[in-house]
Amino acid sequence: MKKAILIISAILCCGVLCAKKHNTPIATGEYKDWCNYLDYININKVVNIDNYKTIVILPIGQDKVVWPDKDDNQYPALKKALAEAPSVFQEQIEKELKGKNIEVKVAGSDVSPKSGEILIKLNIESLDMGNRALRVWVGFGAGNQSIEISGYASDTSGKCFSFKQKRYSVKYSSYEKILKSGFKEFGEDIANIFINMQK
C-alpha cells in the first residue's frame, strides 16, 4: 500500500514539475514560453472557444513596418503578402479549429464585439525580410527572415488575453511565399492558444 502511495505521489509531483518546466498553466496571469511554444501571453480570462460562434479578425496594424524602396524587389512582395495576411490567418485558424463549429471571418475595419463573437487584433511589431541570396549562398543563419507580432483577443466582457510571438524563417522560396508561410504559422499559433486553453 505504501509503495502504491509513493508511486502515485511521484507521478503527481512529476506532473507538477513538468507543468512548471514547460510553463503550461491554463490560468490567469503572465507567462513566457507558454505551452512550450508561445513567447509571451497575458491571460485575463481563460477562453472556451466552444462558447463562441464567430472569430473576427480585425485589420492588422502595420505602423511599425519599415518598407523597402519601391524599386526594390522586396516591395511588391511585402505589399501583396500584407494585403493577403488577414485571409491567410483566417484560413489557417479555420483549418486548425476544424470541428469546433465556429465561423472565422475578416472585418474591413475595427469593430466592437457582439454576443457570441471573439475579436482578434494583430499588430506587426517588427518585420525583417532578410536576404534571400545570403540564405542560399551563405546559410548558417545569414539573411534569415524574422517577423514579430503582438495581438489580443476580446469579447463583450473585455480583453481576454494578449500575446507576443516572433518567428524566423530559413526557407529559400520567394519573399512573398516566405511571408505568407510565416503568417500561416502565426495563424496556427493563435489557433493553438484556443486549443490549449481547453486542455
Side-chain angles (χ1 to χ4, degrees), residues 63-74:
D63 292 345
K64 296 181 181 178
V65 174
V66 178
W67 287 82
D69 293 334
K70 289 189 176 181
D71 58 355
D72 190 314
N73 64 351
Q74 292 185 351

Side-chain angles (χ1 to χ4, degrees), residues 28-48:
T28 57
E30 291 186 80
Y31 307 101
K32 292 181 179 179
D33 196 26
W34 186 72
C35 290
N36 209 29
Y37 86 95
L38 192 68
D39 292 345
Y40 168 84
I41 189 168
N42 183 5
I43 303 173
N44 299 316
K45 171 185 173 181
V46 176
V47 173
N48 183 344

Side-chain angles (χ1 to χ4, degrees), residues 77-95:
L78 178 56
K79 185 176 181 180
K80 188 173 181 182
L82 286 177
E84 296 180 11
S87 61
V88 173
F89 283 116
Q90 177 190 23
E91 291 172 9
Q92 193 61 30
I93 292 171
E94 279 181 342
K95 179 181 177 182

Side-chain angles (χ1 to χ4, degrees), residues 80-152:
K80 188 173 181 182
L82 286 177
E84 296 180 11
S87 61
V88 173
F89 283 116
Q90 177 190 23
E91 291 172 9
Q92 193 61 30
I93 292 171
E94 279 181 342
K95 179 181 177 182
E96 298 299 323
L97 296 180
K98 187 177 180 181
K100 290 292 182 184
N101 196 29
I102 188 164
E103 178 188 11
V104 183
K105 63 182 184 180
V106 174
S109 60
D110 287 347
V111 295
S112 298
K114 299 175 183 176
S115 178
E117 287 184 343
I118 188 160
L119 309 185
I120 297 176
K121 176 64 178 179
L122 302 173
N123 292 287
I124 296 176
E125 294 294 324
S126 65
L127 192 156
D128 182 352
M129 296 183 72
N131 187 301
R132 188 176 175 224
L134 288 177
R135 286 197 294 274
V136 173
W137 297 107
V138 179
F140 302 106
N144 288 351
Q145 180 204 78
S146 66
I147 308 174
E148 183 177 30
I149 65 167
S150 64
Y152 65 83

